[in-house]
Amino acid sequence: MAAASVEPVSDVNTTGNPTQITMAYLRDEKTGDITNLNLGELDLTTDEFILDEVDIHIQANLEDDLVKEALKTGVDLRQYSKQVEAELQRIEQASIKDYIKESQNIALLHNQITACDSILERMEGMLSGFQSDLSSISSEIQTLQQQSVSMNVRLKNRQAVRSHLSQLVDELVVPGVMISTILESPVTEQEFLEQLHELNTKINFAKELSFRETLACSDIQDIIDRLKLKAVSKIREFILQKIYSFRKPMTNYQIPQNTLLKYRFFYQFLLANERSIAKEIRDEYVDTMSKIYYSYFKSYSGRLLKVQYEEVADKDDLMGVEDTAKKGFFSKPSLKSRNTIFTVGQRGAILSPAELEGPILVPHTAQRGDSRYPYETLFRSQHYALLDNGCREYLFLCDFFMVAGNSALDLFYCIMGKTLSMFLKSMSTYVSDCYDSIAIFLCIHIILRFRAITAKRTIPALDKYWEAVLELLWPRFELILEMNIQSIRNTDPQKLGVLDTRPHYITRRYAEFSSAIVSINQTFPNERTNALLAQLQVEVENFVLKMAAEFPSRRDQLIFLINNYDMLLSVLMERAADDSKEVESFQQLLLARTQEFIEEILSPPFGGMIAFVKEAEALMEKGQLDRLKNEEARITQLVRGFSSTWKQSVESMSQDVMRSFTNFKNGTSIIQGALTQLIQYYHGFHKILNQPTFRSLAVRSELINLHHLMVEVKKHKPNF
């Protein structure tokens, strides 16, 4: 191993204190390598010197491989220090030679560094200039931003002013197209209507500006006024021409009305800008249409009356008047049958929706076909024409003349008032001499339904007229009904000819009339009508009783009553509801009289047995049946008499009943009721004879078996 020696180092760092050794060098004698020995800052003089720390540093250096080698070889440190110093000098000389050798390069490097410094200095100056420029640019940007905000505000203000000014200018400027269109184009052109709208807008705008005392308004006022006058003149001429066209014969005025509705803005323009002209047009229209409607409906009503039935009811055609009252050689022909006055027949179909709102009658067509109609048919046709035209006219007035409410009604009555008055006057004249109560009642219900139609269409124009018509018709209907009631009340049965048990013609008249009124009245019930019908029913019931009293026998009286009540029910139930007061009342009367008649017809052949059964049942209820113990002979006679004659009696009774009643169904029902009652009486007879009081009677064996009797009785029930 190479020897190592430790030499003192000349540049030992004493840091100003010769007693503080910080560094030592160790040189390898063989290789000449120098090892730096870091001894730390060993302060050998300080009072705080700690040997432990020295030991630590020494121990750390001793661990070095080079130190270990030097110690092993016993190197002299002083000698080693000199070697190191010599080596350093040699190295230093070599370094100086290298510096001298590279002096040119170093000088060149120095020049380059100097040049770089100058370049960097200039760049620094430029960057400083840039920095100052950027700071000035930032301030300029802020200034520009402020200017931009200010300019934006001014721009918005100018745009707002421009929009108002442009609108003002647009409204003020009268374009040449408008002038040429208003002056030259026909009013029916769409372009004229569009320019008229524009002109109306400019007129309204000019009025608004004049209120603000805008000076620019005076520049256009003259030309706007001239255009307005020209437009008003052309519109007036056009509308008046259309109104005058209504007056031409055979003109369908609805066509020019529809044309006017297409140009409804014309009247709106006149109303806004020239009220005097608008009033002139409105007055001309009212005058023209009033005359047209009056002339049309007057002519139509007159021609309708020519197709009315020639034979109409008069004051003698009342319910209680006898059929022979007007018969005479020189008397005028009566109606073919007075009963038709009180029969609705097919006349009630006029109230069906199909008939009610069907086409109106054309009089000349009906005359050519020699057709005749009852008054209510003519009334329906006349008033449906009025309803149709009235509703159309009211809607036209509201639409074209821009009226509503009371103003619309007033204008409507200005046009239709004369026609409606003519209708009421004509109707009043006819109704005052009319005695056809069914026709009047049908007319009432026609008006009620027409009123409902106008209410559904929300057209109140004819409401007052409907009320006026009803005020004419209701009192007349009530008067005719009261006259019929009075005629029945004053009827003298002895003056009605030969007595007959069949239904009386007065009863049939009432049945037809009552069923007609009840069936019509079901849709729009009227309490006054119900009260009058109830009063009429009472009088008819009294009349039937008075007529029945003319028959000498109770049997004939009952037959007469049953026939009349049955006929009344049959007719009523064809039209009236089964639960109507009239139907229920006559059902009760018929049932009571039928039961009485059954007792009446059973009495002659079976009266003895019936009397015995009733007497015995009464005693049984009191517990006194023994009082009949001694009636063996009577009982024997009843048993044997019934057994021998009941078949003949039943046959005779059946034939007699069927001859007595006009309604076979009713006769059959009475026979069945009588036979059922007979079986009940005979069953009661059996029950009485089965009591202990009569069990010992030998005649009990001769009683007919009840079941056998029922079988035999069924054979005698007529079938129809």
Side-chain angles (χ1 to χ4, degrees), residues 543-610:
F543 165 75
V544 173
L545 292 175
K546 286 193 296 183
M547 285 297 300
E550 295 294 315
F551 292 92
S553 68
R554 182 58 181 168
R555 181 178 177 278
D556 289 340
Q557 291 177 0
L558 290 172
I559 292 173
F560 177 80
L561 291 173
I562 291 172
N563 275 328
N564 280 273
Y565 291 153
D566 177 63
M567 183 272 297
L568 285 167
L569 270 176
S570 299
V571 175
L572 281 171
M573 293 180 70
E574 286 180 4
R575 298 187 181 275
D578 293 344
D579 58 349
S580 65
K581 295 179 181 179
E582 292 80 7
V583 171
E584 291 180 357
S585 174
F586 285 115
Q587 281 178 338
Q588 294 174 1
L589 290 172
L590 177 62
L591 182 62
R593 299 290 80 80
T594 300
Q595 194 62 38
E596 185 179 351
F597 179 74
I598 289 173
E599 296 290 338
E600 187 71 23
I601 60 175
L602 289 176
S603 182
F606 308 109
M609 181 188 69
I610 293 172

Side-chain angles (χ1 to χ4, degrees), residues 112 272 290 297 319 325 335 389 546 656 713:
Q112 290 177 351
S290 176
F297 279 109
M319 201 175 294
L335 296 178
N389 285 275
K546 286 193 296 183
D656 185 37
V713 164

Side-chain angles (χ1 to χ4, degrees), residues 294-312:
Y294 180 78
S295 174
Y296 166 72
F297 279 109
K298 183 178 181 181
S299 172
Y300 183 66
S301 300
R303 285 184 284 123
L304 277 179
L305 292 176
K306 294 180 181 179
V307 295
Q308 185 183 358
Y309 280 133
E310 294 179 359
E311 295 179 348
V312 294

Side-chain angles (χ1 to χ4, degrees), residues 44-198:
L44 302 178
T45 60
T46 180
D47 296 333
E48 297 179 358
F49 180 75
I50 301 174
L51 293 178
D52 292 338
E53 292 182 2
V54 176
D55 292 338
I56 292 172
H57 286 290
I58 293 173
Q59 186 64 32
N61 289 323
L62 290 177
E63 293 296 328
D64 186 86
D65 293 336
L66 188 59
V67 174
K68 288 181 179 180
E69 185 65 25
L71 292 176
K72 286 181 179 180
T73 56
V75 176
D76 185 0
L77 291 179
R78 286 187 296 270
Q79 186 63 33
Y80 185 76
S81 175
K82 289 179 182 180
Q83 290 178 359
V84 169
E85 184 177 358
E87 184 66 23
L88 287 174
Q89 287 177 357
R90 185 181 59 83
I91 292 171
E92 180 180 358
Q93 292 297 322
S95 296
I96 290 171
K97 290 179 180 180
D98 289 338
Y99 279 122
I100 293 170
K101 184 179 179 181
E102 297 294 334
S103 61
Q104 292 181 354
N105 292 335
I106 292 172
L108 180 61
L109 179 62
H110 175 74
N111 292 334
Q112 290 177 351
I113 291 173
T114 303
C116 286
D117 286 342
S118 64
I119 292 172
L120 291 175
E121 185 177 0
R122 288 197 305 272
M123 289 183 64
E124 182 180 5
M126 291 174 62
L127 291 176
S128 298
F130 285 154
Q131 184 176 8
S132 62
D133 290 341
L134 287 175
S135 62
S136 63
I137 289 173
S138 176
S139 62
E140 289 178 1
I141 290 174
Q142 291 179 353
T143 304
L144 289 175
Q145 185 177 8
Q146 293 174 355
Q147 292 176 354
S148 175
V149 171
S150 176
M151 291 174 66
N152 189 34
V153 171
R154 290 199 299 272
L155 177 62
K156 288 182 179 179
N157 293 337
R158 288 179 181 180
Q159 287 177 341
V161 172
R162 179 183 178 183
S163 64
H164 290 294
L165 286 177
S166 62
Q167 182 180 359
L168 177 64
V169 172
D170 290 341
E171 295 291 345
L172 287 174
V173 171
V174 180
V177 175
M178 176 184 292
I179 297 173
S180 61
T181 302
I182 297 296
L183 294 178
E184 300 172 4
S185 296
V187 296
T188 54
E189 295 289 338
Q190 180 65 27
E191 186 179 359
F192 179 87
L193 186 61
E194 293 174 358
Q195 293 301 326
L196 188 66
H197 277 278
E198 292 295 328

